[in-house]
Amino acid sequence: MAGKRKTNPAGSTNSYRGDVLRVLGALKVATADQIQRIGAPHLAFRHADKEPPSKQKQARTASHTGALSDMRKHGLSENGGSTGTGDSLRNLTPKGLKAASYELNRPVTEMGSTARGAGSSGASHPMSVNETVIAMLRPKPNLARLADDLPHVQAAAQAAVDSPDGIGTIASYWTEVPLPATGTWNTPGKGGAQADLVLTAPQDRVPLLFIEVDNCHETAEELAAKLEKYARFFRRKVKDTDGKERPMWRTRWNAPVTWSGDAAHPPVLLVFNKLGERNPNITVSKLSELTSHCGRDSGTTATTSTTGRSRSSRPGWGT
């Protein structure tokens, strides 16, 4: 025990350090609160009775905060500023991203950047992206980890387990994924898009979904320009390893071959988080007019959803 304490002075376990690697490996930057809600949702039920809410939050995030402290000591994670509400932001170092690639079973070349500096302006957009992931995941508590807790705690956790399932696992999500219209995956050229989120959850009938999150700051014209870049990327073809020309997106992701072949492109889901002053309903109406040719010409489907923190959508494959 003394040796372990010396190695990990905050007393963290492999389980909680693994949570940190998986969540930050996928999301790039997050708070201890978000890491806990995704990695160990049972802790939210165990400490639900604590007052005031600040004490409850401190108690349920203590294990992951300790894990982050130990990982910072080992050069795997670092503090990255704070949110607008004062929560500390955490991200992985290059060494941490490499460790996370093993946890997520993901090539190191697909891990992306370390997200350094994301917290310099409060990271409102990354936080909305994270909340979108949590809303779609709907993390459920492990009842076995609450076996010794009070009956009312177990009952609340059981209700959460019985609620509708979410989509995928944290390993199903990628953030800040370049979609090069020119150049390569590793060195994208000009004119391409960058997906806020990419979701691959074939086990939940969502083989491939691109997600854009807007805090209601962008105009319909700005969003339309993003979708035009998506369409340009979807139309791009390159030679695959067998020498045959295929849509570039198919060289990285698996997706069904539909009746219309490669004329059908993956859907793009727009998620609106009402932080800004723009009315998402008005934006969607104008956006539909501006992008009607995308669906007509290329088969690209744009699905819209308005969300605060908990609503999610389960779209089908675009045709």
Side-chain angles (χ1 to χ4, degrees), residues 85-98:
T85 56
D87 288 320
S88 295
L89 291 167
R90 317 298 182 114
N91 61 268
L92 298 177
T93 63
K95 181 181 176 181
L97 283 176
K98 185 175 182 179

Side-chain angles (χ1 to χ4, degrees), residues 14-313:
N14 288 339
S15 174
Y16 291 121
R17 291 194 297 275
D19 288 343
V20 172
L21 288 173
R22 285 186 291 272
V23 174
L24 289 183
L27 302 185
K28 301 302 184 297
V29 61
T31 64
D33 169 74
Q34 291 171 330
I35 294 170
Q36 176 268 312
R37 287 158 60 200
I38 294 172
H42 70 283
L43 294 175
F45 295 88
R46 177 171 294 162
H47 300 289
D49 292 339
K50 285 186 169 58
E51 293 290 346
S54 59
K55 290 288 186 182
Q56 178 191 132
K57 186 175 183 179
Q58 182 180 17
R60 64 182 172 81
T61 61
S63 295
H64 291 99
T65 299
L68 285 159
S69 177
D70 286 336
M71 292 172 66
R72 186 180 181 188
K73 176 179 181 292
H74 296 304
L76 297 172
S77 70
E78 58 189 7
N79 294 342
S82 59
T83 67
T85 56
D87 288 320
S88 295
L89 291 167
R90 317 298 182 114
N91 61 268
L92 298 177
T93 63
K95 181 181 176 181
L97 283 176
K98 185 175 182 179
S101 74
Y102 294 104
E103 289 286 336
L104 294 169
N105 193 26
R106 190 173 295 182
V108 176
T109 54
E110 295 181 10
M111 291 303 296
S113 65
T114 60
R116 282 176 172 154
S120 59
S121 59
S124 62
H125 185 259
M127 293 301 97
S128 292
V129 170
N130 293 358
E131 292 299 331
T132 298
V133 171
I134 293 172
M136 298 185 77
L137 278 174
R138 296 178 182 172
K140 295 190 175 184
N142 182 345
L143 295 178
R145 303 187 74 170
L146 297 171
D148 296 327
D149 285 87
L150 295 173
H152 75 279
V153 172
Q154 296 181 16
Q158 183 66 61
V161 169
D162 294 339
S163 66
D165 291 334
I167 303 174
T169 67
I170 190 59
S172 304
Y173 294 82
W174 280 256
T175 56
E176 300 177 4
V177 181
L179 309 177
T182 60
T184 66
W185 291 112
N186 292 330
T187 56
K190 295 181 179 180
Q194 178 169 282
D196 288 335
L197 286 166
V198 178
L199 167 62
T200 56
Q203 71 274 23
D204 292 321
R205 296 181 292 110
V206 186
L208 179 61
L209 176 65
F210 295 85
I211 304 171
E212 283 295 312
V213 180
D214 176 41
N215 283 339
C216 292
H217 295 309
E218 295 184 279
T219 66
E221 289 79 7
E222 289 170 327
L223 292 173
K226 284 188 176 182
L227 292 181
E228 291 282 1
K229 290 181 178 181
Y230 270 95
R232 186 181 180 191
F233 167 72
F234 290 150
R235 288 192 295 265
R236 184 182 180 187
K237 292 188 176 183
V238 296
K239 282 190 177 181
D240 207 342
T241 53
D242 60 3
K244 294 182 179 179
E245 193 174 66
R246 290 186 176 85
M248 188 175 187
W249 62 268
R250 282 198 182 275
T251 67
R252 180 167 181 178
W253 296 290
N254 293 321
V257 178
T258 64
W259 64 269
S260 55
D262 288 327
H265 299 325
V268 179
L269 174 69
L270 297 179
V271 178
F272 293 94
N273 186 26
K274 296 184 68 174
L275 291 180
E277 296 181 355
R278 297 190 182 281
N279 184 329
N281 294 321
I282 295 175
T283 300
V284 167
S285 178
K286 183 65 179 294
L287 183 61
S288 296
E289 297 176 10
L290 294 171
T291 60
S292 60
H293 64 284
C294 288
R296 181 176 63 251
D297 297 340
S298 67
T300 301
T301 297
T303 306
T304 59
S305 173
T306 303
T307 181
R309 285 181 51 149
S310 59
R311 286 186 57 194
S312 64
S313 174

